[in-house]
Amino acid sequence: MKRKTARIIGNGLMGLGLLTMVGGVGYSILNQMPELGLPQFLAHGAIGSIFIGAILWLAGARVGGQERVADRYWWVRHFDSRCTNGKSHRHS
């Protein structure tokens, strides 16, 4: 798979995962309002869609090559062994 195609598919999966998660959270919130009369049996599916959306998001990040953590994050720079270049930090 070419890099451009992989990036497009990865971004599509990430977008689909985001929409799935937001839709699940939205339905879970709207289901708490009794005046709307939404079916209760779909509430469990809405909770499950949050996890399915997260899996789609992670799969899209993996396919699109965006699963790496950037070095600009403070925690990664100071405590991740990949970013310390062999320096040992002594914390007291």
Side-chain angles (χ1 to χ4, degrees), residues 28-82:
S28 296
I29 291 171
L30 290 176
N31 195 30
Q32 299 299 315
M33 298 179 189
E35 61 270 2
L36 293 178
L38 297 173
Q40 187 66 30
F41 67 90
L42 291 178
H44 297 294
I47 300 294
S49 72
I50 296 169
F51 294 105
I52 291 171
I55 291 171
L56 284 172
W57 176 278
L58 291 173
R62 179 73 179 175
V63 168
Q66 300 174 13
E67 76 277 2
R68 289 176 273 127
V69 177
D71 292 339
R72 65 178 174 258
Y73 297 112
W74 185 87
W75 184 264
V76 173
R77 274 197 323 245
H78 289 87
F79 294 105
D80 194 356
S81 62
R82 294 174 292 165

